Amino acid sequence: MKEKDLEKVVSVMKIAKKVFVITGAGISAESGIPVFRGSEGLWKNHDPMQLATPEAFEKDPVLVWQWYLWRRSLVARANPNAAHKVLSRWEKTYPGFLIATQNVDRLHHRAGNEKVVEIHGNIWEVRCTKTGRVFSPEEVDITEENLPPKSPEGGLFRPNVVWFGEILPPEPLDEISAFLSQEPPDICFVIGTSALFYYIQSWAHVVKMHGGLLVEINPDETPLSARADICLRAPAATALTRINELCS
Ligand code: OAD
């Protein structure tokens, strides 16, 4: 990370009223949850990109559920890391604040954030493939022994998450649009995501169009890097801890 870049970020954060944060799997990597893309995401030689799809579930729901049960067990053991904790402090500091996360692990909530929009759902809820009704984890316990889990409403239970190739539900997107269309954010952090989805590019575009600073935090380059004002090439916990220290 270049000092000059950090100084620029901190100078904006010191006067910012509204902060927008987009997160992806990379922010939870330091909590021990593997990212989707790249060799460390592999599970028993299966590529997550082949498993997190409606086609995979149709073909082999047991295999997809086994992968989700494995991910659930990692998530249950994981704790929010320093990056999540900094964001929870910022929510209390800035009058305007929102996290749009692609993560289904709920680590932002567990770190204390409430202003979080989970655009891909969460890993603990399930829904009936026949009726679409959503069930909470208190209502449905899924284990290796009851796979594939059958819903009392006639279908199978599937994780209530958005899979690759599926359309995002409108409510979370509306919430983010409302946040962006009021007073524009002074700064937007895009943290730990390969930024391949169009909506990330489009939110980033809106922020920049209104003069907000676009900051990417990711050890690697992404399709968003060229449009970012500043790229901090470091793990999320390192970069956010450093920014937070310099702000206080
Ligand atoms: P990816 O696995 O595509 O990308 C993770 C990103 O995090 C990569 O760009 C890494 O370079 C970066 N990264 C790794 N370790 C990091 C660290 N310690 N700090 C910061 N960045 C780090 O995950 P997403 O972009 O979240 O959706 O993937 C988006 C969606 O693709 C997922 O939500 C999932 C998948 O399809 C669905 O299942 C619909």
Side-chain angles (χ1 to χ4, degrees), residues 23-27 29-30 34-38 40 48-49 52 67-68 102-104 120 161-165 168 191-197 199-200 217-222 234-237:
T23 63
I27 197 168
E30 289 161 275
V35 297
F36 283 83
R37 294 173 180 82
E40 74 272 37
M49 301 312 296
W67 179 60
Y68 271 97
Q102 298 164 87
N103 299 344
V104 297
H120 289 168
V161 298
V162 178
W163 279 329
F164 204 60
L168 296 190
I191 307 171
T193 174
S194 51
L196 291 169
F197 291 123
Y199 39 82
I200 296 183
I217 299 180
N218 196 315
D220 295 328
E221 200 174 322
T222 77

Side-chain angles (χ1 to χ4, degrees), residues 226-243:
R227 297 179 72 187
D229 298 301
I230 288 172
C231 296
L232 300 175
R233 296 272 168 252
T238 308
L240 289 177
T241 303
R242 185 90 181 95
I243 296 167

Side-chain angles (χ1 to χ4, degrees), residues 118-163:
E118 294 172 301
I119 60 173
H120 289 168
N122 90 65
I123 198 168
W124 299 106
E125 288 177 351
V126 298
R127 80 170 183 264
C128 172
T129 52
K130 188 163 174 218
T131 62
R133 196 171 137 214
V134 175
F135 293 72
S136 70
E138 290 76 36
E139 291 172 289
V140 179
D141 182 28
I142 299 195
T143 62
E144 283 277 348
E145 287 69 47
N146 62 12
L147 297 184
K150 293 190 185 63
S151 151
E153 298 183 341
L156 289 181
F157 280 129
R158 58 162 278 179
N160 189 31
V161 298
V162 178
W163 279 329

